[in-house]
Amino acid sequence: MAFSKKFAAALAVAATAGLVLSACGNSKHEDTETTTPPAADETAAAETTPATGDEAGDETEAAGGDETLTGAAKVLADAGVATPVALTIQYNPDHYGDASAEEYGAIKEQLEETGLFTVTLNSTEWVTYSQERIANYSIYQLGWFPDYPDADNYLSVFFSKDNFLGNKFDEPAVQALIDEQRVTTDEAARAELISQLQSLVAEYLPTLPLLQGRQVAVIGTNVNEPPVLDASFQFRFANIQKDNDPTAVVKVGTTDMVTSLDPAGSYDNGSYLVQTNVYPMVLSFAPGNPVPTPELAESCEFSEDGATYTCKIKDGLKWANGNTLDANDVKFTFDRQLTIADPEGPSSLLGSLDSVTVPDPLTVEFHLNAPNDVTWEQILASPVGPVVDDEVFSATELTPDADIVAANAFAGAYTIKTWKINEVAEFTPNPDYAGVQGTPQNGGIIMTYYKESSNMRLNIESGEDDVAWRSLTATDIASLESSDAVEVVYGPGGEIRYIVFNVETMPGDTPEQKLAIRQAIAMSIDRDELSEVVYAGTYSPLCSYVPEGLPGANTAVCDLYNQ
Amino acid sequence: MATKQRSSSAALLRYLGVRLALVVPTVLILVTLVFFLMRVIGDPISAKLGGQLTPDELERRREAAGYNRPIFVQYFEYLGNVVQGDFGTASKDNRKILDVVLTNGAATVELVCWSLIIAFLVGIPLGRLAARYHDRLADVTIRFFAVLVYAAPVFFLGLVLKLIFGAHGLGILPTSMRVSRTTELALADLGYDSHFMIVDALRSGQWVYISDVLKHAILPAVALGLMEAGIFIRLIRINLLETLRTDYVVAARARGVAERRVVSKHAFRNALIPVVTVMGMEIALMLCGAILTETTFEWPGLGYALSQYLLARDFVAVQGIVTAIALLVAVISFLIDVINALVDPRVRY
Amino acid sequence: MTSPAPVLLEATNLSVSFQTDGPPVRAVKRVSFEVRKGEILAIVGESGSGKTVSSRAMVGLLPRTARIEGEARIDQTELIGLHGEAIRRVRGDRIAMIFQEPSTALDPVRTAGWQICEALLSHQNISRKEAMARAVELLDLVGIPDPEIRVHSYPHQLSGGQKQRVMIAMAISCDPEVIIADEPTTALDVTVQAQILDLLHDLRERLGTAIILITHNMGVVADMADRVAVMFRGELVEQGTAEQIFNDPQHPYTKHLLGSVPRLGGARPATMDAVAAPPVEAELALSVRHLDVFFPGRIGSPPVKAVKDVSLELHRHEILALVGESGSGKTTLGRCAVGLQLPTGGELTVLGQELRGIRPAALRALRRRLAFVFQDPASSLNPRMSVADCISEPMRVHRTGTKAEREARVAELLDAVELPSDYANRYPHELSGGQRQRVSLARALVMDPELLVADEPTSALDVSVQAKVLEVFVRLQHQMGFACLFITHDLAVVDLLADRIAVMRSGELVELGSREEVLRNPQQQYTKDLIEAVPIPDPVVQKARRDVRRGKA
């Protein structure tokens, strides 16, 4: 492979190891600028067997005159890796925001500052990027927004055998823990398993977590009730209020574009935002509570064998158009997701669903592939969960937005009055709504879709809009923070940014050397700098795999490599 | 001979008939070109989902959508659909392409019209002034201005305008969208949906709405119009200088026609003839070229839509929009021919 | 004659100079002349003599760079120094103008009536409707048929003669005291010229308008003028009655000018009559049989038949003149002869080669033996090539001769066309019109052509220059013996050099015969009209001819 050639070349040049800085130089200490204290040696990597460190030691001696190797340099030396290691890191310039180039520029700088790495950055347009990454990239950028806000969604998808990363990571011990937490219904026990799982993964480092997003909304000073930004990561209209007036119409701006009103044909922030506000779900999130709560359902429970999840649907529910809303709509919703299986849609989330049955109009039974799947409740409250009207939607293909709006096929907190896709949408409170989002505290929402976030910024400042939701640039948010006309509100974000290693094709002659290189990289990264300098605090450091705020989150990665 | 006069207007009709007849093959050729060029890249499904789906799944979808049939069968089917106004559906946001073409096309046409008004208001008087004060200070200043506005990138001009008039500056003019949301929704409520904001606003008869539409149009129209004005200034100046040197201008002076009238009725009228032709091409260019203005000012136009669909590799949409633009360009060039025939009697032979 | 009419327009010591980047150019130097009521004053001179500038100076139609000194008065009004509204009132109302090129002097996008009305409304306080009625009357007066329809015609819908009539109608619309007619018939065919001159004559008699007739054509002067002023290099060198000037010219320039004018029916100058190689009857340079050339019309209109069923022959060493008015197809026929235009039907044999269906390679080989001289040397010579390059270009194109041979050939030809050898390094814009045309001729002859087609080679030149070029041309033809198809509208030139004459009209061959037969004893009415229309540069003869014509009318 092209990569091993490069690596051979790097070996040939064989490490003019340069000035060796300890990995601690990049840790969270106040004294980042100062030279390394020799005591900063107690890392997991340091405990690994000192192997063929001699020649690397000679190199550094010549360069720095320091006899004791520390941190990243020691890890590499112990594994017999010649430095500097040539790394090629791939990233995409816009799919994960416009600052990616800056972020990876900073990473390159941090890595090269150690003298242990030479970094080549490659940026590729998204379509090619997503097609190439598995086959051809060995170290590359990815981002993740959870399908549902649960630790499992940050673990099983990444670290199972044949995960979607395709990075050849396969550790039976990790797999066993993943499988176990999934069926552990006891919350505390499960949290402990998740924490263990993260610590174990941190030792192998198949991916390197970098940053966790924050939800940011900018509101005008006349907005007395800001949107609730919680770990459900949903943007709900109902509680927003301005001028203390429950009849005032609130104007919201966003750059998150909509693909479709049909939940079977869209799986993105923009579409999901609208869908959470206009469709009901079997389970949903009440503001401030990250645990799914029954909405259409009166109650739900696992059967004794754990293979069936049964929900009782509330009686007398109606769609805004007058159609009956019952268990048949629920079955219809999930059946059509599986039938249509649109590549743009979320049907892949239903992997654990075998079938849906409706013993009576007020009861729906989900037959699951695995017993006691704790993620099922989350999935019901995820983008695959919005329930649609079986008398309006097509069972076999996507239903056009115009038809949905014309038929008024809504039963969420709001109905849509005017729908000009990705330009403007007008939402009116649904008087019949009695779900978990609560009674709307405003007279309606006007949603404006901006192509340019700079224009959204101008309009929140001028007062044309009352709320600016995703995504303003970090610079804009930083400067809006100091504006008197607006206020910035934050909430925990579900988005994470990380680096993927293909554990087979990445640099290094042996699996041990590859691991050493991963660990050395981990030691050389300064997340605080990325968070503050590149993202002005709109992302916070992510020290493990499950983001802060979710049960089972810990700081395993930082603990191991950045102390 | 009364027949002579009648044959003159008959000649005009025949001329326009021939031009109109030429539109059909032009459009047909363009549509065909677009279709086959897009297919060189691959069918829309492979183009969009290739690499994301397994080959089997891809093949299944291709088959379902009919892309595995002979290309000519698909071509004639496409032609048939286009004739019926069916351009297909965008996979990016599931919009009907016809709807995109109508709404975004209307936005672009409206923007182009506004900017043409600016271009005329600025370009014609300045071009005339420059020609009148040929090689003197006024001329040099105006020429410099023309080069400046023509050379300044539209988005840069747009940003400067936004800075001056937007929320960070004087705060007196809106800096994005065709109209404010309240007006847009109010007009939609009133049931006006011609896609042309100013038309809808005028139909409502309410000054608030009309002024809102006009205010929104000012900055984009100026940004785009000034660039056009730069072209018009130079065109009008050079052509006016040319016609001012002609024998018929000297002849008009010699028969005692006042200078002002000589310039406006003889020199200027004749100078307009080449300007009209270039203007036609400019308008055609602006249809797609307005994209920078559209992006800067959130103007939901055709160029912007096209670029978005291109980025999303939505080739059904791209094909539809390009076809629509081709149609528009053909229609515009026909209109230019009509104007030309009206301005220049020699054209209607 | 009765006592002289009062002086209407009088120029005294009129001087005009133009500011340039260099020193000012003096175009008119202290010129004085006068014109009386009902009189026709001809100002004669060659291009650049200042005749147009001095007339335009009086009505303030010169560009800003012009400086005018001296006086010009109409009645008691001083004209020099008037500007704005004051001079506007004079223009068109008291002094009207007629221009050389009616097709450019009329605004192409306005109807005839519109433009006449404009002149009327500029000076008279009448309604548009009245103005329109008057325009119709005026068109009728200048002899345009169906004036009430023609008044709505655009210039491109009118013929050249009709356009000039519209110009005249405009000029007389406000009953001016003086009409300045600047080369009013130069751009017109002879038969049309005769009609326009008759019209002007007629108007002078009916309206008593004074006319300043600016022209280079001595025939026109003889035909029209009461008095003649001769200008040369900005100066007025001689002035007098027409009889005086023609019969007893004083100034050497006037004599030279009159000597250069080719006369139809006049004796050939000795230089032209040098013994030529007699035409070889047996050998044909060009044979045309039932030739048709059609051009496709615009969509929906029938094809334009430029040449219809023409048959003629050109022998080796012979000059065949192709005569006809504009649109007669003579140029198209000439282009066919050198393979620049393919015929639609009939046979066309050039130097023994049938041109229809000829292979490109054969055509290329044939072209080396053919040559073509264009009307306008200014546009047919590449301005970026030196004279030597221009002349030797055909050699380079056909890849003949070494560099030295080419240089020798250029020198030889420059000598042949009587240009100094150091002209080889000059560029076309450094030469005068006549010199340029001689360069064109040299270029045409560089390959020793066997057949030369010359398309109006002297029409763009002044008479004195034309005489020189023609002289050179005839001498070379005699020396080199090429067959020549000489295309022209000027019968006087034809009389100078042609062996035989073919008269064409509307694409058809009207008459074909020897020079003597066609010019002295024409068989066809059209040929007769043509000859009749050519003004003879002799006032007495012209007056007699005019009287005859009038008598007929």
Side-chain angles (χ1 to χ4, degrees):
Chain A
M1 277 191 83
F3 202 87
S4 53
K5 261 189 210 157
K6 247 184 206 171
F7 184 57
L11 275 176
V13 197
T16 44
L19 190 68
V20 177
L21 288 176
S22 153
C24 288
N26 299 311
S27 75
K28 293 180 183 180
H29 293 177
E30 298 293 333
D31 55 355
T32 333
E33 307 293 317
T34 63
T35 36
T36 324
D41 216 332
E42 300 171 13
T43 61
E47 287 160 20
T48 53
T49 334
T52 54
D54 297 30
E55 52 175 295
D58 292 345
E59 299 281 350
T60 36
E61 197 175 81
D66 186 351
E67 290 213 291
T68 320
L69 281 175
T70 56
K74 181 164 167 51
V75 168
L76 290 176
D78 290 350
V81 179
T83 55
V85 181
L87 303 176
T88 301
I89 304 182
Q90 309 276 350
Y91 72 94
N92 175 270
D94 50 22
H95 191 76
Y96 298 114
D98 295 338
S100 291
E102 213 185 317
E103 178 185 336
Y104 278 79
I107 289 172
K108 173 183 160 85
E109 217 169 88
Q110 291 176 3
L111 290 175
E112 290 187 340
E113 219 169 48
T114 63
L116 300 172
F117 302 100
T118 57
V119 178
T120 310
L121 292 179
N122 276 347
S123 128
T124 311
E125 166 269 337
W126 177 249
V127 178
T128 318
Y129 191 88
S130 53
Q131 287 168 5
E132 297 272 297
R133 67 173 174 88
I134 291 180
N136 295 328
Y137 298 168
S138 61
I139 306 178
Y140 60 94
Q141 169 199 30
L142 275 186
W144 178 252
F145 193 85
D147 306 308
Y148 44 89
D150 182 78
D152 179 73
N153 202 236
Y154 292 93
L155 296 167
S156 60
V157 283
F158 297 111
F159 310 121
S160 305
K161 188 175 188 307
D162 300 326
N163 59 62
F164 93 101
L165 301 174
N167 66 342
K168 306 290 194 289
F169 177 72
D170 179 17
E171 283 298 328
V174 171
Q175 186 66 56
L177 277 173
I178 289 176
D179 294 343
E180 193 183 345
Q181 60 84 22
R182 241 193 136 124
V183 292
T184 306
T185 43
D186 179 77
E187 279 181 28
R190 182 165 178 251
E192 176 53 31
L193 281 173
I194 286 167
S195 184
Q196 272 180 36
L197 175 54
Q198 292 177 79
S199 301
L200 184 59
V201 173
E203 287 180 28
Y204 293 107
L205 279 178
T207 71
L208 179 62
L210 294 174
L211 297 165
Q212 172 182 3
R214 291 172 90 183
Q215 300 180 80
V216 184
V218 180
I219 57 173
T221 44
N222 60 336
V223 175
N224 53 291
E225 279 297 331
V228 175
L229 306 178
D230 59 21
S232 71
F233 313 135
Q234 290 183 345
F235 187 91
R236 287 151 300 200
F237 297 152
N239 77 299
I240 309 174
Q241 191 180 76
K242 74 170 182 184
D243 301 330
N244 291 306
D245 178 1
T247 63
V249 173
V250 177
K251 291 192 198 166
V252 181
T254 184
T255 62
D256 281 347
M257 292 299 160
V258 176
T259 303
S260 171
L261 277 181
D262 187 335
S266 59
Y267 189 12
D268 55 82
N269 286 323
S271 307
Y272 188 45
L273 183 153
V274 175
Q275 288 160 14
T276 46
N277 286 290
V278 298
Y279 298 119
M281 301 215 218
V282 177
L283 302 180
S284 186
F285 295 100
N289 179 7
V291 178
T293 319
E295 177 163 86
L296 289 179
E298 225 157 41
S299 64
C300 292
E301 61 184 12
F302 279 103
S303 62
E304 270 177 40
D305 63 353
T308 305
Y309 189 78
T310 308
C311 291
K312 287 280 175 198
I313 303 296
K314 290 176 186 158
D315 195 4
L317 293 175
K318 292 247 180 263
W319 292 92
N321 53 24
N323 294 345
T324 309
L325 168 48
D326 59 16
N328 290 314
D329 291 290
V330 177
K331 173 177 162 55
F332 173 81
T333 296
F334 291 93
D335 284 351
R336 81 185 280 269
Q337 283 278 12
L338 289 171
T339 308
I340 295 170
D342 191 274
E344 307 279 315
S347 63
S348 56
L349 292 175
L350 296 176
S352 53
L353 178 66
D354 180 51
S355 63
V356 187
T357 51
V358 178
D360 65 78
L362 294 181
T363 309
V364 59
E365 292 173 349
F366 300 97
H367 304 284
L368 305 178
N369 291 326
N372 290 318
D373 186 343
V374 290
T375 64
W376 178 250
E377 293 187 347
Q378 295 283 350
I379 286 168
L380 282 179
S382 76
V384 81
V387 174
V388 298
D389 186 346
D390 61 357
E391 286 169 67
V392 173
F393 283 69
S394 155
T396 51
E397 56 188 36
L398 296 181
T399 303
D401 292 359
D403 296 357
I404 301 171
V405 176
N408 203 14
F410 308 113
Y414 289 80
T415 60
I416 298 178
K417 187 176 173 201
T418 310
W419 182 248
K420 294 191 177 180
I421 188 165
N422 293 335
E423 280 181 39
V424 62
E426 188 179 14
F427 298 87
T428 329
N430 176 9
D432 298 331
Y433 178 73
V436 295
Q437 294 181 15
T439 311
Q441 300 299 304
N442 49 53
I445 299 287
I446 292 176
M447 195 80 186
T448 299
Y449 292 90
Y450 292 88
K451 277 93 186 176
E452 292 289 307
S453 74
S454 62
N455 286 321
M456 179 160 84
R457 183 198 160 170
L458 280 173
N459 277 3
I460 184 73
E461 281 181 290
S462 71
E464 171 73 24
D465 283 340
D466 303 309
V467 179
W469 175 234
R470 287 165 47 95
S471 296
L472 289 162
T473 64
T475 353
D476 278 345
I477 289 170
S479 87
L480 287 171
E481 282 266 26
S482 58
S483 165
D484 292 337
V486 296
E487 199 181 313
V488 184
V489 290
Y490 294 94
E495 184 190 350
I496 60 167
R497 309 175 73 93
Y498 56 100
I499 295 175
V500 180
F501 300 100
N502 185 313
V503 298
E504 281 183 5
T505 61
M506 67 172 292
D509 289 344
T510 60
E512 289 72 31
Q513 286 195 349
K514 290 175 201 285
L515 176 61
I517 292 170
R518 295 203 292 275
Q519 291 172 333
I521 291 173
M523 292 174 178
S524 308
I525 295 292
D526 178 358
R527 293 180 179 77
D528 286 345
E529 186 189 313
L530 298 180
S531 161
E532 263 140 47
V533 177
V534 178
Y535 287 105
T538 54
Y539 281 84
S540 50
L542 177 61
C543 273
S544 185
Y545 295 99
V546 175
E548 226 175 310
L550 291 176
N554 63 11
T555 55
V557 175
C558 292
D559 293 346
L560 266 179
Y561 302 109
N562 302 94
Q563 289 297 315
Chain B
M1 303 186 287
T3 52
K4 184 72 193 172
Q5 278 313 300
R6 220 176 298 134
S7 77
S8 167
S9 61
L12 175 61
L13 282 181
R14 198 182 58 199
Y15 166 78
L16 294 181
V18 169
R19 292 286 140 165
L20 194 60
L22 282 176
V23 169
V24 177
T26 313
V27 167
L28 192 67
I29 290 168
L30 285 170
V31 169
T32 308
L33 264 180
V34 169
F35 179 85
F36 285 103
L37 283 180
M38 298 304 290
R39 285 309 161 84
V40 169
I41 308 171
D43 66 82
I45 289 185
S46 313
K48 188 171 169 61
L49 300 171
Q52 292 178 25
L53 294 176
T54 61
D56 287 351
E57 178 62 11
L58 202 63
E59 195 47 43
R60 196 185 65 76
R61 283 171 191 277
R62 275 166 46 83
E63 217 174 302
Y67 288 126
N68 56 349
R69 292 173 301 160
I71 185 124
F72 282 99
V73 174
Q74 298 180 44
Y75 168 67
F76 285 111
E77 188 188 70
Y78 179 70
L79 271 192
N81 289 343
V82 166
V83 168
Q84 292 165 35
D86 176 7
F87 291 86
T89 306
S91 58
K92 176 174 172 277
D93 50 15
N94 300 303
R95 280 176 79 182
K96 286 248 179 291
I97 308 295
L98 184 66
D99 177 56
V100 176
V101 165
L102 288 180
T103 48
N104 293 46
T108 296
V109 168
E110 199 172 314
L111 174 62
V112 168
C113 287
W114 290 129
S115 62
L116 277 180
I117 291 175
I118 298 285
F120 285 139
L121 286 182
V122 175
I124 291 177
L126 287 185
R128 291 180 64 163
L129 262 178
R132 183 165 166 200
Y133 294 103
H134 180 211
D135 275 347
R136 287 192 250 169
L137 182 65
D139 179 29
V140 174
T141 317
I142 290 170
R143 271 154 68 194
F144 179 72
F145 170 78
V147 173
L148 199 73
V149 290
Y150 178 63
V154 166
F155 69 90
F156 174 74
L157 195 58
L159 286 182
V160 171
L161 289 171
K162 278 166 81 169
L163 264 184
I164 297 174
F165 296 99
H168 291 166
L170 302 171
I172 50 174
L173 286 174
T175 52
S176 54
M177 316 277 172
R178 298 168 74 185
V179 70
S180 66
R181 288 320 185 199
T182 25
T183 305
E184 181 168 4
L185 294 171
L187 289 175
D189 276 355
L190 289 171
Y192 299 132
D193 199 16
S194 70
H195 305 302
F196 290 95
M197 281 303 161
I198 186 66
V199 174
D200 289 349
L202 287 172
R203 276 164 73 191
S204 79
Q206 303 229 36
W207 174 243
V208 236
Y209 299 152
I210 298 172
S211 74
D212 190 54
V213 170
L214 292 179
K215 270 197 211 156
H216 278 79
I218 291 175
L219 293 187
V222 168
L224 186 58
L226 276 187
M227 186 191 79
E228 291 302 309
I231 298 172
F232 284 171
I233 288 173
R234 294 185 73 84
L235 264 181
I236 285 175
R237 175 183 171 275
I238 197 87
N239 283 299
L240 199 51
L241 283 176
E242 193 98 335
T243 53
L244 278 172
R245 275 195 280 268
T246 53
D247 286 353
Y248 53 80
V249 163
V250 177
R253 287 194 187 119
R255 62 178 177 262
V257 179
E259 187 62 24
R260 185 183 291 266
R261 192 180 158 86
V262 170
V263 173
S264 62
K265 299 278 174 176
H266 294 282
F268 182 62
R269 170 81 182 265
N270 279 282
L272 273 188
I273 294 170
V275 175
V276 167
T277 307
V278 177
M279 198 179 76
M281 294 188 277
E282 282 298 318
I283 294 175
L285 278 179
M286 276 161 91
L287 283 177
C288 310
I291 171 172
L292 284 176
T293 319
E294 290 175 358
T295 314
T296 311
F297 293 100
E298 294 277 336
W299 198 276
L302 217 47
Y304 186 81
L306 182 61
S307 73
Q308 293 300 301
Y309 288 121
L310 262 176
L311 280 179
R313 293 204 172 192
D314 191 333
F315 289 141
V316 174
V318 170
Q319 181 174 307
I321 293 177
V322 172
T323 304
I325 290 178
L327 269 169
L328 255 176
V329 169
V331 168
I332 286 171
S333 64
F334 170 71
L335 287 179
I336 291 298
D337 284 339
V338 172
I339 295 176
N340 246 330
L342 293 178
V343 174
D344 186 353
R346 285 166 297 184
V347 172
R348 7 168 175 141
Y349 44 89
Chain C
M1 253 190 143
T2 51
S3 63
V7 171
L8 260 180
L9 180 68
E10 185 180 20
T12 316
N13 291 331
L14 194 65
S15 294
V16 181
S17 57
F18 289 98
Q19 292 165 348
T20 64
D21 291 337
V25 175
R26 296 189 65 196
V28 176
K29 302 164 193 165
R30 300 177 67 77
V31 166
S32 303
F33 57 83
E34 56 182 46
V35 61
R36 292 164 188 274
K37 188 167 163 47
E39 184 183 51
I40 298 182
L41 168 71
I43 300 181
V44 183
E46 303 192 329
S47 49
S49 62
K51 53 192 195 300
T52 296
V53 171
S54 49
S55 65
R56 289 197 180 184
M58 293 187 292
V59 282
L61 282 178
L62 292 177
R64 276 206 311 265
T65 50
R67 248 193 79 208
I68 306 167
E69 286 168 276
E71 294 164 16
R73 262 193 297 277
I74 183 159
D75 266 351
Q76 299 308 313
T77 317
E78 174 60 52
L79 294 172
I80 306 300
L82 284 189
H83 56 267
E85 183 62 10
I87 191 72
R88 187 191 73 73
R89 284 173 185 281
V90 176
R91 291 179 194 156
D93 196 31
R94 305 189 67 180
I95 305 176
M97 292 188 78
I98 301 170
F99 296 86
Q100 172 173 352
E101 187 62 76
S103 45
T104 60
L106 285 170
D107 187 336
V109 303
R110 304 291 184 184
T111 61
W114 191 96
Q115 298 188 56
I116 298 174
C117 285
E118 186 182 44
L120 285 164
L121 294 169
S122 294
H123 298 290
Q124 295 173 10
N125 191 15
I126 54 173
S127 72
R128 178 153 278 276
K129 208 174 159 195
E130 287 168 318
M132 209 57 186
R134 180 97 178 91
V136 173
E137 274 171 41
L138 283 163
L139 287 182
D140 193 32
L141 186 67
V142 297
I144 287 190
D146 303 309
E148 57 286 331
I149 292 167
R150 285 300 181 189
V151 82
H152 299 296
S153 295
Y154 287 97
H156 71 279
Q157 295 169 314
L158 303 170
S159 70
Q162 286 173 328
K163 278 183 251 191
Q164 197 61 300
R165 284 171 195 269
V166 170
M167 285 303 292
I168 293 170
M170 229 181 284
I172 61 174
S173 61
C174 298
D175 291 324
E177 290 146 73
V178 180
I179 294 177
I180 298 173
D182 191 348
E183 303 270 12
T185 58
T186 309
L188 305 176
D189 284 324
V190 265
T191 48
V192 182
Q193 163 172 292
Q195 294 162 10
I196 295 293
L197 292 178
D198 286 349
L199 174 64
L200 284 174
H201 222 275
D202 194 42
L203 287 174
R204 188 268 301 259
E205 273 167 26
R206 274 157 67 186
L207 307 173
T209 320
I211 297 176
I212 296 180
L213 180 68
I214 296 168
T215 183
H216 70 283
N217 186 327
M218 296 309 284
V220 171
V221 176
D223 189 26
M224 299 286 290
D226 299 314
R227 286 190 312 112
V228 180
V230 183
M231 285 191 75
F232 178 59
R233 296 190 180 158
E235 284 176 72
L236 206 156
V237 294
E238 188 164 1
Q239 205 171 165
T241 64
E243 284 78 7
Q244 281 168 354
I245 297 292
F246 277 92
N247 297 333
D248 187 17
Q250 299 299 312
H251 195 275
Y253 174 71
T254 318
K255 289 177 188 169
H256 171 70
L257 191 63
L258 285 168
S260 306
V261 178
R263 277 163 204 246
L264 181 58
R268 283 194 185 194
T271 44
M272 299 264 185
D273 233 9
V275 185
V280 185
E281 300 269 338
E283 276 187 76
L284 290 182
L286 172 70
S287 166
V288 173
R289 293 258 162 278
H290 307 293
L291 190 78
D292 288 325
V293 182
F294 299 161
F295 295 110
R298 285 170 147 171
I299 295 175
S301 39
V304 178
K305 299 181 176 177
V307 175
K308 282 179 278 188
D309 193 25
V310 170
S311 301
L312 53 79
E313 291 173 346
L314 170 61
H315 304 108
R316 295 215 177 217
H317 310 306
E318 184 189 35
I319 299 182
L320 173 65
L322 205 50
V323 180
E325 297 185 309
S326 50
S328 62
K330 55 187 194 302
T331 295
T332 309
L333 186 53
R335 290 170 60 85
C336 285
V338 287
L340 289 175
Q341 171 69 50
L342 286 178
T344 315
E347 293 167 27
L348 174 63
T349 313
V350 180
L351 300 175
Q353 276 265 10
E354 170 59 46
L355 275 195
R356 295 195 66 195
I358 192 170
R359 290 161 179 278
L363 182 61
R364 230 175 296 135
L366 183 62
R367 281 225 177 106
R368 295 171 65 155
R369 302 158 64 194
L370 309 173
F372 197 91
V373 180
F374 294 89
Q375 172 170 2
D376 188 356
S379 59
S380 64
L381 295 177
N382 185 337
R384 288 176 216 290
M385 284 163 78
S386 71
V387 166
D389 287 344
C390 285
I391 294 175
S392 61
E393 191 185 18
M395 294 181 82
R396 275 179 283 125
V397 169
H398 291 294
R399 303 211 183 82
T400 49
T402 61
K403 193 159 182 283
E405 280 168 357
R406 280 184 218 147
E407 278 169 14
R409 184 77 179 135
V410 167
E412 194 185 330
L413 281 166
L414 280 177
D415 190 49
V417 298
E418 297 174 30
L419 287 174
S421 54
D422 64 322
Y423 272 42
N425 297 322
R426 298 199 180 184
Y427 284 85
H429 70 268
E430 297 173 283
L431 308 181
S432 72
Q435 289 168 339
R436 267 185 236 151
Q437 196 58 297
R438 281 189 266 169
V439 171
S440 302
L441 188 56
R443 179 174 62 174
L445 297 178
V446 73
M447 298 295 290
D448 257 328
E450 291 164 59
L451 171 61
L452 177 84
V453 176
D455 189 0
E456 305 263 12
T458 60
S459 348
L461 306 175
D462 282 324
V463 262
S464 59
V465 180
Q466 164 176 298
K468 184 71 201 167
V469 173
L470 287 176
E471 190 191 310
V472 169
F473 181 82
V474 168
R475 184 174 51 70
L476 286 172
Q477 197 266 339
H478 289 171
Q479 280 171 8
M480 303 173 73
F482 50 82
C484 175
L485 194 60
F486 195 100
I487 300 168
T488 183
H489 69 280
D490 190 337
L491 288 175
V493 169
V494 169
D495 200 8
L496 277 180
L497 50 73
D499 295 314
R500 288 194 301 140
I501 299 175
V503 181
M504 287 187 72
R505 183 193 194 186
S506 312
E508 286 170 29
L509 187 65
V510 176
E511 190 160 2
L512 176 64
S514 74
R515 172 170 56 105
E516 287 296 321
E517 285 163 9
V518 174
L519 293 183
R520 314 298 172 234
N521 185 20
Q523 298 303 306
Q524 300 295 322
Q525 186 56 44
Y526 178 68
T527 315
K528 288 178 191 166
D529 290 347
L530 217 51
I531 295 168
E532 182 65 20
V534 177
I536 306 295
D538 183 323
V540 183
V541 176
Q542 263 311 110
K543 186 159 187 332
R545 293 174 85 198
R546 177 174 294 281
D547 290 345
V548 170
R549 215 161 49 213
R550 289 244 174 131
K552 261 196 282 181

